Amino acid sequence: MTTHLTTPGDRVVIGLALILVILLYGVYRPPSASGDRLEYSTPHRHEILSLNQDQILEVNGSLGTSRIEIRDGAARFLDSPCRNQYCIHSGWLEQEGDFAACLPNRITLLVQADRQQSYDAINY
Amino acid sequence: MIWISLAGCWNGSANSMPVSEPSKQHRCVLAVALCLLLVACEPPPAEPIRFYAFGTIIEITLPAVSANQKAAVEPELIAAFQHWQQHWHPWQAGGTKNLAAVNRSLKSHNRAELDPEIKALIDAARPYYQESDGLFDPAIGGLVKLWGFNQDKLQDTPPTPAALSGWLNARPRYSDLRIDNDRLISDNAGLQLDFGAFAKGYALEQVATLLKNNHIESALINAGGDLIALGRTRPDADARAWHIGIRHPRKAGVLAELELKDGEALVTSGDYERYFIHDRKRYHHILDPRSGRPADRSIAVSVIHTDAARADAAATALFVAGPGHWRAMAEQLQIKTAMLIDSEGHIHLTDTMQERLQFKSDPAAGIETTP
């Protein structure tokens, strides 16, 4: 005589619960869950974006509008109204902790990865 | 369904089931496992309070406060920073009791009436001026202005040699200031105050006190990259220390990382923060009062100390001291945990800083430097 851990009904319910958890995770997970997200801060706003969604953002800073490109899991300053353009020369930010700032325009970009391993802050 | 089935855990009805049915213990295990599955997700990190002050982004993470407590303290924090920004700014127009008014009065009369807050600021900075042998000197406001680092939009040429000579001949020093019954008296007509190398650290200390007075024990306060940590990331037993990355001074990304402990401040002064390039040479905002020019033997200094104001003043003094003298200067300023990256890209570490830092690459190899 065998002893079963669950009844067929229990197994159906457990399966449904697992599916529900997976679906809810897909809906409510932070953008970083797949590995990478971009945090950008300006004098006016702070936002977290997925690095997996290609786009070009126009972001207003203290001097004017900076354009930030997100492509193929990386981000960069594409254009900025600062004089020296060092934010643009920072190039692509891809790895966790990659950081670039347009200090004259008060815009910072930070690549964060899994929440468990990401930095609580960048010192500069 | 499952609720009925699992209910057997609690009502004992499983006792009457045939042996092929799940046992009471099995059902309890299942119930616990499902609960764990459904609650396993870690709560998302608290959304920091963010605002703009001191010409930079202020970010205050409060992981262990209720929404009501956060809503109560947020206006107090923003108001405090706005007040300090208005009160400590050396050049802005308007106001009669702020630092700008003190500078205007010093310029015209060599004396100024002191508001208690400005007096406290001046007194707080004085020990660091003395301990640093004047390498940290808030009396160089006129020099900062000559180089244009007081403006949002930087100039693209250095001051003329004649202008620099003029300032160096006058050579205002903090020691030229005396306080006599709430009146500030300057013995040097060229003396103008600028606490840019001190104000953020001094503010961090005051914010930490403000939070503690509000019974907030866990916080990470980030004032444009200068940090002070309170407590740990969470109030419970799973809490970890605050995990910080130190920016690489010459390229995107992090040079090294460390854990910041309760009450510690981490302040970095770098030549990448405010600078312009002229004739392929970098002119940055950390000025050597002895030469009147940007200190050119360091590119970044990071300091950890339990007093953020001391850490801020020391980061500037060590930067100006340069690789030949920074260790002695650190001792004078009671700094045990510090890193200096010199203009050749070599990384210098105190023993305690070496123990704390995890580098992304071998620090002995240094870093590549470019203008």
Side-chain angles (χ1 to χ4, degrees), chain A residues 123-124, chain B residues 246-251 255 267-275 277 281-286 294-302 315-324 326 339-348 365-371:
Chain A
N123 166 254
Y124 56 94
Chain B
I246 297 179
R247 175 194 166 163
H248 194 294
R250 284 294 182 270
K251 62 181 185 184
L255 174 72
V267 175
T268 291
S269 287
D271 69 355
Y272 47 81
E273 293 177 61
R274 290 177 65 72
Y275 66 95
I277 302 273
K281 182 172 169 57
R282 180 187 295 242
Y283 294 95
H284 61 79
H285 74 297
I286 306 171
D296 60 2
R297 285 167 294 182
S298 313
I299 60 176
V301 167
S302 299
T316 298
L318 268 57
F319 190 105
V320 175
W326 77 290
M339 169 175 70
L340 180 144
I341 305 174
D342 68 30
S343 53
E344 304 293 318
H346 301 127
I347 298 174
H348 308 258
I367 63 164
E368 281 187 31
T369 58
T370 51

Side-chain angles (χ1 to χ4, degrees), chain B residues 19 38 43 54 90 144 150 183 256 266 342 346 348 351 355:
Chain B
V19 72
L38 292 168
F54 287 157
V144 174
N150 59 315
R183 179 174 289 180
L266 169 60
D342 68 30
H346 301 127
H348 308 258
D351 290 344
E355 288 166 11

Side-chain angles (χ1 to χ4, degrees), chain B residues 175-187:
Chain B
S175 53
D176 294 330
L177 283 177
R178 289 178 287 124
I179 295 179
D180 181 16
N181 288 331
D182 294 338
R183 179 174 289 180
L184 188 67
I185 300 168
S186 167
D187 295 329

Side-chain angles (χ1 to χ4, degrees), chain B residues 94-171:
Chain B
T96 55
K97 294 183 174 179
N98 55 17
L99 186 63
V102 168
N103 274 337
R104 287 194 295 272
S105 189
L106 284 178
K107 191 174 182 180
S108 55
H109 303 102
N110 279 0
R111 61 185 57 217
E113 297 299 324
L114 275 185
D115 171 82
E117 277 187 54
I118 298 295
K119 182 174 182 294
L121 177 66
I122 291 171
D123 286 341
R126 196 180 293 277
Y128 310 122
Y129 165 77
Q130 291 164 342
E131 290 173 30
S132 70
D133 296 334
L135 297 191
F136 160 74
D137 189 348
I140 64 169
L143 184 64
V144 174
K145 210 169 181 179
L146 266 185
W147 282 90
F149 291 120
N150 59 315
Q151 305 166 52
D152 269 350
K153 195 165 186 177
L154 298 183
Q155 58 196 45
D156 54 10
T157 55
T160 63
L164 270 183
S165 294
W167 188 86
L168 285 168
N169 290 336
R171 183 60 172 94

Side-chain angles (χ1 to χ4, degrees), chain A:
Chain A
M1 195 177 287
T2 56
T3 301
H4 296 287
L5 183 61
T6 57
T7 64
D10 284 344
R11 288 194 284 273
V12 168
V13 172
I14 290 166
L16 288 173
L18 281 170
I19 291 168
L20 184 65
V21 167
I22 292 165
L23 286 175
L24 288 174
Y25 182 71
V27 171
Y28 290 108
R29 69 174 178 172
S32 62
S34 61
D36 299 300
R37 68 183 193 274
L38 177 73
E39 292 191 19
Y40 78 83
S41 292
T42 79
H44 318 293
R45 66 189 303 175
H46 176 91
E47 202 159 330
I48 299 173
L49 300 167
S50 170
L51 279 175
N52 298 320
Q53 189 176 345
D54 293 357
Q55 57 181 310
I56 292 176
L57 304 164
E58 295 201 342
V59 178
N60 292 324
S62 293
L63 293 180
T65 302
S66 293
R67 287 198 306 149
I68 297 160
E69 181 178 17
I70 298 175
R71 180 155 52 93
D72 300 333
R76 66 171 174 172
F77 277 101
L78 197 59
D79 191 19
S80 216
C82 56
R83 176 179 293 173
N84 292 322
Q85 305 276 288
Y86 292 108
C87 51
I88 295 166
H89 297 157
S90 294
W92 288 102
L93 312 176
E94 192 170 14
Q95 302 298 318
E96 179 188 9
D98 279 1
F99 174 85
C102 180
L103 292 179
N105 207 23
R106 315 291 191 213
I107 295 174
T108 61
L109 306 182
L110 170 65
V111 172
Q112 294 272 40
D114 182 83
R115 280 173 183 262
Q116 296 289 335
Q117 299 171 1
S118 60
Y119 299 110
D120 295 307
I122 300 293
N123 166 254
Y124 56 94

Side-chain angles (χ1 to χ4, degrees), chain B residues 299-336:
Chain B
I299 60 176
V301 167
S302 299
V303 172
I304 296 176
H305 197 275
T306 50
D307 182 338
R310 177 175 288 276
D312 201 359
T316 298
L318 268 57
F319 190 105
V320 175
H325 305 283
W326 77 290
R327 288 183 195 276
M329 183 55 60
E331 257 183 54
Q332 283 181 218
L333 284 157
Q334 303 160 47
I335 299 296
K336 292 182 178 170

